[in-house]
Amino acid sequence: IARDHLRRADPKLGEWMDRIGDLSLPRPEPFAIVHALARSIIYQQLHGKAAETIFGRLQSALGGRRVSARALARIDDVDLRAAGVSAGKARALRDLAEHALSRRLPTPAALLAMDDDGAIERLTAVRGIGPWTVQMLLMFRMGRVDVLPLSDYGVRAGAQLVHGLDAMPTPAELAALGEAWRPYRSLASLYLWRAVDSAKESKNR
């Protein structure tokens, strides 16, 4: 239903969807909010492999796979630096732990009851957490089907490619384009990301 809707609503996107093949909407999955947000903080502005390495070192330094608020509160700056965590991200992790331990961080169940704007408002109170980070959580952890990350470079580049635009659309222009994709803007975002990857792969052949 979602793919059919997008093809009808935006034939140009539909052409790329046919090239790319079937992608599925993200599915909700259980998650621990401190762990998920800590991972997002580490991954900001880093390539995937580097971020994965640093996050793995952080997990080891904390003594387990799950990153908890108590473990973050106990670890010292020397150990964070040894794991490759920058000073700015260390401050963000400390603020995340403080929010969790003082019960100012909503639980996953509470987040489920919030709309997207409410979740963004609550979680961006944490240092280092911006709207994009919350949107990734909403999309990939909570399985929200109508999320459009307006500031995302890949989504904007995909929209430029799919619609043959002279320049990358501004967030406002992307929002206007995205009206046609409601209520499945998450799936449209996945296709826009994949369109950019497909174009790169074609160039490299």
Side-chain angles (χ1 to χ4, degrees):
I1 291 173
R3 289 190 289 266
D4 290 342
H5 170 80
L6 291 176
R7 284 190 177 92
R8 285 194 306 270
D10 187 342
K12 289 182 178 179
L13 179 60
E15 290 173 14
W16 278 86
M17 292 170 66
D18 291 338
R19 288 188 220 178
I20 291 165
D22 287 350
L23 299 179
S24 299
L25 284 163
R27 294 180 178 276
E29 58 180 55
F31 67 96
I33 192 162
V34 170
H35 181 92
L37 291 176
R39 186 178 185 277
S40 296
I41 288 168
I42 295 299
Y43 271 67
Q44 286 167 6
Q45 299 174 322
L46 287 175
H47 293 296
K49 189 66 179 173
E52 184 182 339
T53 298
I54 292 171
F55 191 64
R57 288 176 186 158
L58 175 64
Q59 288 173 293
S60 297
L62 295 174
R65 288 193 57 77
R66 178 178 288 188
V67 177
S68 71
R70 283 191 170 81
L72 282 175
R74 284 196 303 265
I75 193 169
D76 63 27
D77 288 341
V78 173
D79 288 337
L80 285 176
R81 280 198 299 274
V85 178
S86 69
K89 289 182 179 182
R91 288 192 292 272
L93 291 172
R94 299 234 180 269
D95 195 49
L96 172 63
E98 186 184 330
H99 271 77
L101 293 171
S102 62
R103 301 190 182 278
R104 287 179 287 148
L105 204 63
T107 63
L111 279 178
L112 284 171
M114 297 178 193
D115 63 16
D116 293 354
D117 289 340
I120 289 169
E121 183 179 353
R122 284 293 301 277
L123 294 181
T124 53
V126 179
R127 184 189 187 110
I129 301 292
W132 179 87
T133 300
V134 184
Q135 287 167 330
M136 296 303 102
L137 183 80
L138 292 170
M139 191 184 297
F140 292 110
R141 299 285 189 169
M142 297 174 65
R144 295 277 174 99
V145 299
D146 196 33
V147 178
L148 180 61
L150 297 176
S151 65
D152 187 275
Y153 180 90
V155 172
R156 292 169 61 208
Q160 179 184 3
L161 177 66
V162 164
H163 282 268
L165 304 175
D166 293 332
M168 195 179 292
T170 64
E173 290 166 342
L174 180 62
L177 277 175
E179 286 301 311
W181 308 328
R182 288 181 184 273
Y184 301 111
R185 292 181 299 169
S186 296
L187 184 59
S189 298
L190 294 180
Y191 273 107
L192 294 173
W193 277 317
R194 189 70 189 100
V196 175
D197 291 340
S198 296
K200 285 178 184 173
E201 288 164 8
S202 296
K203 273 187 184 177
N204 292 333
R205 280 182 195 144

